[in-house]
Amino acid sequence: MTISIIGAGLGGLALARVLHLNGIDAVVYEREASRGARGQGGMLDVHSGTGQRALREAGLIDRFHAIARREGQDLRLLEPDGTLLLQEDTPDDAPADRPEVDRADLRDLLLDSLPGHAVRWGHALEHAEDGLLRFADGRVASYGLLVGADGADSRVRPLLTDARPAHTGQNVVELGIPDVDRTRPDLAAMVGRGNYWVLGDGQSLSAQRNGDGRVRVYLGFRTAEDWFGTSGIPFDDPAAARARLIELFAGWDPRFTALIAACDDTVLPRPITTLPVGLTWPSRPDVTLLGDAAHLMPPVGQGANMALLDGALLGLALAAHPDDLPAAVKEYEREMFERAGAVGRQSARVQEILMAPDAGRRMLAFFQPG
């Protein structure tokens, strides 16, 4: 069988790795020109029952723990006036239930576990139909099974469903402070070793320590889909954008606006979109989806874990039914639909909490029920 995977993200690479371990060849087609062509984002918390399970199936769990940051599980939760609601510091001997890892490092780990010919860079899919893939540069390839691991704007998804991502009513701006321990040790101490959340009435500020010494800062706003165009914030002028963003946090503890003021010229607007929770489609023997292409969720710590597990479980299903692709696809989709639906409902609940008027207190109750 010719298995073609569109997208060299975490889920697609996990699938290719599990297939490789089981002696099944697959080709991963990636639109990026090389593995270093684009930044891969910040840190991921990889959960023991999902993402780590996938890495065990892929034979990579020991190499994962060698690059993961156990201390990244630390958490500080505050209110806009500076009230500390929760501080969790990870003991050195604590289990690595949700250690943090740099997304680029995890992707490199998966890429390095595959034969060099497994990933074909510079292949931007334009159209797929009747067993043929057509790429933007005119190249053509055939497939027996096509797996869309190509994210929120999947080119493969329309073969299975008309569903498209919809705006959630939240927009996020990403900023960052490089080499924070040297440049701003006071802010480094405030943020700590892991995640730092400040939740207010329809707004949020979160900061995340990265393995390279950078602190990524995310500002969240409960706003309309067109807010980036109507807000008047000049996102193409980083200094002016930071000044306007600081104004939006007037009345918050000065430590939090100092965090924004210390950021560099990286100012990235990010609209938050999701697919319908519980999305399914009639199974086809030659096409399926995984990760964000199948179940795009709010960015609350589940997406990468679901993608990794999707890839591993699809690989195992194909290995278990090497002569019956339709049975393998149905087995995978049946489990994935149920699991992703449950996680999607929980993620939507967390997203609702984050934007609530009493978000800090509600999130504290979420972490400490009863």
Side-chain angles (χ1 to χ4, degrees), residues 191-346:
V191 170
R193 305 182 301 176
N195 288 281
Y196 187 85
W197 288 4
V198 189
L199 305 180
D201 183 4
Q203 290 186 192
S204 64
L205 180 152
S206 63
Q208 180 189 60
R209 175 70 73 116
N210 282 208
D212 62 358
R214 183 178 182 84
V215 163
R216 290 179 187 257
V217 178
Y218 301 92
L219 309 179
F221 303 92
R222 186 173 60 199
T223 46
E225 184 173 1
D226 63 354
W227 182 74
F228 289 127
T230 62
S231 65
I233 298 174
F235 290 104
D236 57 350
D237 182 343
R242 284 195 304 273
R244 284 283 290 113
L245 290 166
I246 288 171
E247 291 176 5
L248 296 178
F249 288 85
W252 287 44
D253 188 291
R255 293 175 297 170
F256 308 144
T257 50
L259 196 65
I260 301 172
C263 291
D264 63 11
D265 285 349
T266 300
V267 182
L268 302 174
R270 301 189 186 281
I272 304 302
T273 61
T274 60
L275 284 167
V277 175
L279 176 65
T280 64
W281 52 80
S283 188
R284 277 183 52 170
D286 60 338
V287 183
T288 192
L289 305 171
L290 62 78
D292 285 351
H295 43 66
L296 179 65
M297 301 175 189
V300 294
Q302 296 287 1
N305 286 282
M306 288 295 101
L308 286 164
L309 190 54
D310 288 350
L313 295 183
L314 176 55
L316 292 175
L318 291 167
H321 304 284
D323 300 317
D324 193 346
L325 287 181
V329 170
K330 284 183 179 179
E331 177 182 300
Y332 156 71
E333 289 178 343
R334 186 165 50 247
E335 188 279 338
M336 183 268 288
F337 288 153
E338 181 177 353
R339 168 172 47 85
V343 173
R345 287 187 290 275
Q346 183 189 56

Side-chain angles (χ1 to χ4, degrees), residues 27-33 116-124 139 141:
V27 179
V28 181
Y29 295 102
E30 170 54 50
R31 66 185 305 116
E32 294 171 12
H117 62 271
V119 179
R120 299 186 185 174
W121 303 98
H123 282 69
R139 284 178 287 190

Side-chain angles (χ1 to χ4, degrees), residues 10-334:
L10 300 180
L13 295 174
L15 169 58
R17 167 64 179 178
V18 171
L19 291 174
H20 175 65
L21 285 182
N22 286 276
I24 301 172
D25 287 332
V27 179
V28 181
Y29 295 102
E30 170 54 50
R31 66 185 305 116
E32 294 171 12
S34 67
R35 72 163 69 187
R38 180 178 66 86
Q40 295 300 308
M43 304 295 288
L44 302 170
D45 54 327
V46 181
H47 303 178
S48 58
T50 51
Q52 290 187 51
R53 177 185 171 192
L55 293 167
R56 288 188 197 95
E57 298 291 356
L60 299 172
I61 193 64
D62 290 339
R63 278 181 266 180
F64 163 73
H65 283 302
I67 62 173
R69 295 177 54 247
R70 186 190 303 262
E71 68 276 11
Q73 298 174 107
D74 288 6
L75 173 65
R76 298 177 186 182
L77 174 65
L78 302 95
E79 291 189 299
D81 65 1
T83 300
L84 179 65
L85 297 175
L86 177 66
Q87 180 167 336
E88 294 182 343
D89 296 322
T90 308
D92 292 340
D93 60 350
D97 291 334
R98 295 187 174 196
E100 297 276 347
V101 67
D102 188 295
R103 182 187 287 268
D105 290 344
L106 182 54
R107 188 191 194 214
D108 283 344
L109 173 63
L110 288 161
L111 283 168
D112 291 341
S113 74
L114 294 171
H117 62 271
V119 179
R120 299 186 185 174
W121 303 98
H123 282 69
L125 180 67
E126 200 162 74
H127 185 66
E129 189 175 17
D130 298 330
L132 287 179
L133 303 173
R134 300 187 183 278
F135 298 96
D137 61 1
R139 284 178 287 190
V140 177
S142 63
Y143 66 88
L145 174 64
L146 175 63
V147 182
D150 49 343
D153 298 319
S154 172
R155 289 293 185 94
V156 179
R157 189 192 302 120
L159 297 176
L160 294 169
T161 173
D162 293 333
R164 295 183 57 82
H167 194 259
T168 63
Q170 185 191 25
N171 290 297
V172 170
V173 180
E174 179 187 333
L175 308 99
I177 307 172
D179 197 8
V180 69
D181 289 311
R182 182 182 63 81
T183 61
R184 291 300 303 267
D186 56 329
L187 297 178
M190 181 181 82
V191 170
R193 305 182 301 176
N195 288 281
Y196 187 85
W197 288 4
V198 189
L199 305 180
D201 183 4
Q203 290 186 192
S204 64
L205 180 152
S206 63
Q208 180 189 60
R209 175 70 73 116
N210 282 208
D212 62 358
R214 183 178 182 84
V215 163
R216 290 179 187 257
V217 178
Y218 301 92
L219 309 179
F221 303 92
R222 186 173 60 199
T223 46
E225 184 173 1
D226 63 354
W227 182 74
F228 289 127
T230 62
S231 65
I233 298 174
F235 290 104
D236 57 350
D237 182 343
R242 284 195 304 273
R244 284 283 290 113
L245 290 166
I246 288 171
E247 291 176 5
L248 296 178
F249 288 85
W252 287 44
D253 188 291
R255 293 175 297 170
F256 308 144
T257 50
L259 196 65
I260 301 172
C263 291
D264 63 11
D265 285 349
T266 300
V267 182
L268 302 174
R270 301 189 186 281
I272 304 302
T273 61
T274 60
L275 284 167
V277 175
L279 176 65
T280 64
W281 52 80
S283 188
R284 277 183 52 170
D286 60 338
V287 183
T288 192
L289 305 171
L290 62 78
D292 285 351
H295 43 66
L296 179 65
M297 301 175 189
V300 294
Q302 296 287 1
N305 286 282
M306 288 295 101
L308 286 164
L309 190 54
D310 288 350
L313 295 183
L314 176 55
L316 292 175
L318 291 167
H321 304 284
D323 300 317
D324 193 346
L325 287 181
V329 170
K330 284 183 179 179
E331 177 182 300
Y332 156 71
E333 289 178 343
R334 186 165 50 247

